[in-house]
Amino acid sequence: MDITWLCAKDFPLSEALLVDIESNSPLEIKVHLTLICRKLWASMNSTKIILTYKWLQDAIVTVEACLDRTWESLNSGCWKEVSIHYKYCYTFCTIIKSVLLLTQHKCKDAPTKSRIAQLKTFEDTILQIDKELKGKKCLKVENLMTFGCRALQRTELPGLSLVLHYHQPSMEAFYKDIFHPKIPAVLKGCMEHWKALELWRNPEYLLKIAGVRTVPIEIGSHYTAEDWTQRLLTFSEFIVSYMTSDTPPKLGYLAQHELFNQIPELMDDIAVPDYCNFTDSGVDAKSPDINAWLGPKGTISPLHFDPKNNLLCQVFGHKEVILFHPQQTSNLYPYKTKLLTNTARVDPTKPDFQKWPKFEKAIGMTSTLGPGEMLFIPPGWWHHVTALSQSFSVSFWWD
């Protein structure tokens, strides 16, 4: 069995694999794998770093413990709820264990009997690695979370441009380029300090804090649909019936709910963005209204506008947002009833130009919002939101 390719220069064992491990591994396992990898790769590039048989044995024990933890996560509960991080992590652990076994087999101070046993273990381990892995990098987790979601055809969405993206804009840049001119923008890298990005991906964490609390759930496709209604459920009932069930009765959506007033402990996992300190009134900013939006793939907020500045912050999952300037209102056919004057009758994802002919003239913008990204929506801007996967968002509304 030819296994020399494991140490070949074109196999992504060094920087590429280390980057994938750091980007796509659970924190509890990442800390162990990165330490082992750095020393292992360093030894391959320097004759001054000697790996002893004992160090290699300890490293193998650590990786096997990581494999056991990963296997437990992969085989507990509902498969679709297993984090993609653990699926990747099993591959990472298998590769690293293989390299450790090969290195230990070549170790000069290894006992002879041990070498024979190691080679057999190594051969069994190497068979677990997908042959297609050689020379390839992992897909990004952010992309996999929307894998299989059908992209909307641009021919169905005329006149749409892409929302501009900014990476950690300064307060001055945000005010000058975004807030003051009232231009929608995606802000990247501004939520890296939120503990929610990791903690809220674990249903057990949310259930522990919020499981017994009663929350209002919207039932049905969206709030303008004839089948739409609301129910009061405990948070745990909502998660079990609508988020993790393979056969939910209907779409269920915890939408526009002041969850953080109800459960202040969750505020410890997020932070009010500094950008909310800018106001249109010229007076000191008041605390923003903070709402939670949690639901399965397919939830929809119909095309509507809000009277306040809005920062929509994506914790996990992906959402597609379509926006139109207030000047486009006449092309969007708002409802004439008093309760729905801020909602359009047009569905921009399935436009009926015969029924709504002026919508064909509408000019708008679109963006897909991913984990750790914020979308600034100015007051009065029409926006339609579709969840492309299970999704948790937090919105901040302020004057």
Side-chain angles (χ1 to χ4, degrees):
M1 179 181 182
D2 184 7
I3 55 177
T4 56
W5 60 269
L6 263 175
C7 295
K9 292 182 179 179
D10 62 344
F11 186 71
L13 276 181
S14 53
E15 289 300 322
L17 183 59
L18 189 57
V19 168
D20 280 333
I21 290 172
E22 291 178 340
S23 302
N24 299 314
S25 293
L27 180 61
E28 61 178 325
I29 295 177
K30 182 197 311 182
V31 293
H32 300 292
L33 296 186
T34 52
L35 287 175
I36 293 173
C37 285
R38 286 195 179 101
K39 186 168 183 178
L40 189 57
W41 307 155
S43 72
M44 291 180 176
N45 296 313
S46 174
T47 57
K48 296 180 180 180
I49 301 176
I50 305 299
L51 301 179
T52 65
Y53 179 85
K54 184 180 184 305
W55 182 89
L56 290 165
Q57 186 61 38
D58 291 342
I60 291 171
V61 170
T62 300
V63 173
E64 287 178 339
C66 292
L67 270 171
D68 290 342
R69 176 67 183 91
T70 306
W71 180 262
E72 179 183 324
S73 298
L74 292 176
N75 292 276
S76 300
C78 182
W79 172 254
K80 70 177 184 179
E81 294 302 319
V82 176
S83 168
I84 191 66
H85 290 293
Y86 284 102
K87 299 174 185 178
Y88 274 146
C89 195
Y90 193 81
T91 301
F92 298 149
C93 290
T94 305
I95 294 172
I96 296 169
K97 181 180 177 181
S98 300
V99 177
L100 288 169
L101 285 168
L102 177 62
T103 307
Q104 191 182 50
H105 177 71
K106 295 181 177 181
C107 191
K108 294 181 179 180
D109 59 344
T112 303
K113 291 184 179 180
S114 177
R115 290 189 181 191
I116 298 174
Q118 288 158 8
L119 187 58
K120 178 63 172 65
T121 304
F122 173 73
E123 290 175 349
D124 293 339
T125 303
I126 203 65
L127 292 175
Q128 299 177 50
I129 301 178
D130 187 349
K131 294 180 181 178
E132 293 298 319
L133 183 63
K134 183 180 178 182
K136 293 186 178 180
K137 298 180 181 179
C138 290
L139 295 172
K140 294 298 181 184
V141 171
E142 293 84 358
N143 295 332
L144 279 183
M145 290 190 69
T146 59
F147 184 77
C149 296
R150 185 177 65 86
L152 298 173
Q153 299 297 318
R154 288 299 298 271
T155 54
E156 295 180 338
L157 304 172
L160 291 184
S161 59
L162 295 178
V163 175
L164 292 177
H165 286 221
Y166 294 81
H167 182 76
Q168 297 179 344
S170 66
M171 294 290 282
E172 180 183 2
F174 176 79
Y175 182 81
K176 179 182 177 182
D177 299 333
I178 301 169
F179 184 83
H180 182 66
K182 299 302 180 190
I183 297 174
V186 173
L187 313 181
K188 304 170 76 72
C190 301
M191 297 169 57
E192 294 176 349
H193 58 295
W194 283 30
K195 294 186 288 185
L197 295 180
E198 287 293 334
L199 294 177
W200 292 5
R201 293 172 63 92
N202 183 357
E204 293 182 2
Y205 174 80
L206 293 174
L207 290 174
K208 180 180 178 181
I209 294 179
V212 298
R213 307 303 291 270
T214 300
V215 291
I217 303 300
E218 296 184 0
I219 309 296
S221 52
H222 52 79
Y223 67 77
T224 61
E226 293 183 0
D227 64 344
W228 184 85
T229 186
Q230 286 183 302
R231 290 183 60 192
L232 291 176
L233 299 173
T234 64
F235 189 85
S236 60
E237 288 174 334
F238 167 63
I239 295 296
V240 170
S241 299
Y242 294 95
M243 293 292 292
T244 62
S245 173
D246 292 329
T247 55
K250 287 185 177 182
L251 281 177
Y253 196 13
L254 193 161
Q256 195 178 326
H257 178 54
E258 295 182 346
L259 187 66
F260 307 97
N261 288 341
Q262 184 182 8
I263 309 173
E265 296 93 325
L266 289 174
M267 278 299 298
D268 295 336
D269 300 334
I270 65 174
V272 177
D274 291 340
Y275 305 124
C276 295
N277 288 312
F278 292 117
T279 68
D280 296 312
S281 61
V283 299
D284 291 341
K286 297 181 180 179
S287 298
D289 301 325
I290 308 176
N291 290 303
W293 308 77
L294 173 63
K297 174 184 175 181
T299 57
I300 294 172
S301 292
L303 189 61
H304 69 286
F305 71 85
D306 301 304
K308 297 185 177 183
N309 297 291
N310 181 5
L311 271 177
L312 181 63
C313 303
Q314 195 67 12
V315 178
F316 66 75
H318 285 73
K319 284 184 171 178
E320 181 184 63
V321 186
I322 301 170
L323 305 107
F324 296 93
H325 192 281
Q327 293 177 352
Q328 299 293 319
T329 297
S330 61
N331 295 324
L332 305 181
Y333 299 90
Y335 280 94
K336 297 180 180 180
T337 57
K338 189 174 182 180
L339 291 177
L340 292 175
T341 53
N342 73 326
T343 304
R345 286 173 284 178
V346 169
D347 179 353
T349 66
K350 301 175 183 177
D352 185 340
F353 297 125
Q354 289 187 341
K355 190 174 183 180
W356 316 115
K358 288 193 294 183
F359 180 65
E360 197 164 8
K361 302 177 183 178
I363 299 174
M365 311 171 75
T366 185
S367 182
T368 298
L369 196 64
E373 297 178 343
M374 301 178 179
L375 172 65
F376 175 67
I377 306 175
W381 274 72
W382 296 85
H383 49 285
H384 179 282
V385 186
T386 304
L388 302 178
S389 65
Q390 289 186 331
S391 170
F392 202 148
S393 311
V394 179
S395 63
F396 298 86
W397 292 344
W398 79 101
D399 294 315

